[in-house]
Amino acid sequence: MINSFHTFDTALWSRERDFFAGLWDRVGLPLTGAITTLFHGTYEHSPVGVHKDRFATFMFGLRGRKRMRFWPRRPWDEPVSTKVDYADHRAESFTADVGPGDLLYWPADYYHVGESATAAPATSVNVGVPRQDHHAGYELESLIADLDPDRLTGRGSLDTLLRHHDAPATAPGPDADGLLPPTLPEGLATPVETLRAFSRPDRLTRRVTLVSLRRWTAEGFEPVPPAAPPRPLADTDILRTDRRARVVRAADGDGGSLCAANGHHTRTPLEQHELARLLRALSPAGAVPVAVLLDAVTPGAHREAARTLLEELESFGALHRGP
């Protein structure tokens, strides 16, 4: 299994966005994004057995043949969410075999299990669209901060984000009247204060704006493929826009602007009116010299800021160099 499969290839990610754009027009952009998982191999059945996801699923067959077994409703009465031994419930199920080039869809409320249809390995990719059981907790991390996986382990990991405290998190039990202490123990009070600082309106409003810009430009598929390292642009270089990339912007509250494309964002000192002129000068119909783009911005310090922004937009894949 390879999770977030679309992040490994920008062209694949772009094709997925094209394919699902029509669906988003009808049902709206999924709040936490679709998930993409590649499955390869042979097995008697899915490791978790019969189960139900919160995702409506599109399954693309790539190689070999794979069998999916379905139940429109839960086929057992026991208080369990999955079942590995489902032999007694096979008679109530129906199956669909998927081969290379086939596309199979099933709704989020269907119980299902994957099985090998032949002795040969099968390869498929599932794209899951969240439809049920959305929890606010899924959004919490993205609204607080970007959690870099490299910072989650090792010395100093999250110390720059959430201060580390050795204070105990336990509190004395209730008193004789059955009442708990009126204050939290230090080990809990300090994290609560930290979260309260993150939720200040000035800080949270900017964060919501930033996350929204990235989410709209990712167009349903996050995490997005990584940006390329920025390369210097000369006045004589020619730029053209990418047909799939939308560049969106918002005021940053201190005179500058936030700008996003392809799920990546940056901050620029360009004010909204300057940024609007620069983006209008980017012709979707043809290539434009960098010097012409910079002339659209007020001369001075912001001219070089505009060059830096163009370099970043190119690294995001929103612009391309060409003759």
Side-chain angles (χ1 to χ4, degrees), residues 100-181:
D102 290 342
L103 170 58
L104 175 66
Y105 168 82
W106 64 87
D109 55 353
Y110 269 52
Y111 282 77
H112 59 277
V113 65
E115 302 172 342
S116 289
T118 68
T123 310
S124 59
V125 170
N126 285 11
V127 177
V129 181
R131 299 292 291 165
Q132 298 181 347
D133 303 324
H134 183 82
H135 301 293
Y138 297 146
E139 290 293 295
L140 186 59
E141 287 184 359
S142 63
L143 290 178
I144 291 176
D146 294 325
L147 297 183
D148 183 348
D150 294 335
R151 295 171 59 195
L152 297 180
T153 58
R155 184 178 179 86
S157 57
L158 287 176
D159 290 352
T160 57
L161 178 61
L162 299 173
R163 290 176 295 165
H164 176 69
H165 292 272
D166 292 324
T170 57
D175 59 21
D177 294 327
L179 298 177
L180 291 172

Side-chain angles (χ1 to χ4, degrees), residues 285-310:
V288 185
V290 170
V292 173
L293 296 173
L294 298 183
D295 287 341
V297 180
T298 304
H302 283 189
R303 183 181 177 87
E304 288 310 305
R307 188 192 307 273
T308 298
L309 177 61
L310 293 173

Side-chain angles (χ1 to χ4, degrees), residues 249-303:
R249 58 188 173 84
D252 196 18
D254 59 355
S257 300
L258 294 170
C259 193
N262 285 340
H264 300 283
H265 79 279
T266 186
R267 187 196 177 280
T268 175
L270 296 178
E271 297 183 15
Q272 284 287 286
H273 66 279
E274 296 174 307
L275 185 53
R277 288 201 301 268
L278 177 64
L279 295 179
R280 281 198 300 268
L282 283 165
S283 170
V288 185
V290 170
V292 173
L293 296 173
L294 298 183
D295 287 341
V297 180
T298 304
H302 283 189
R303 183 181 177 87

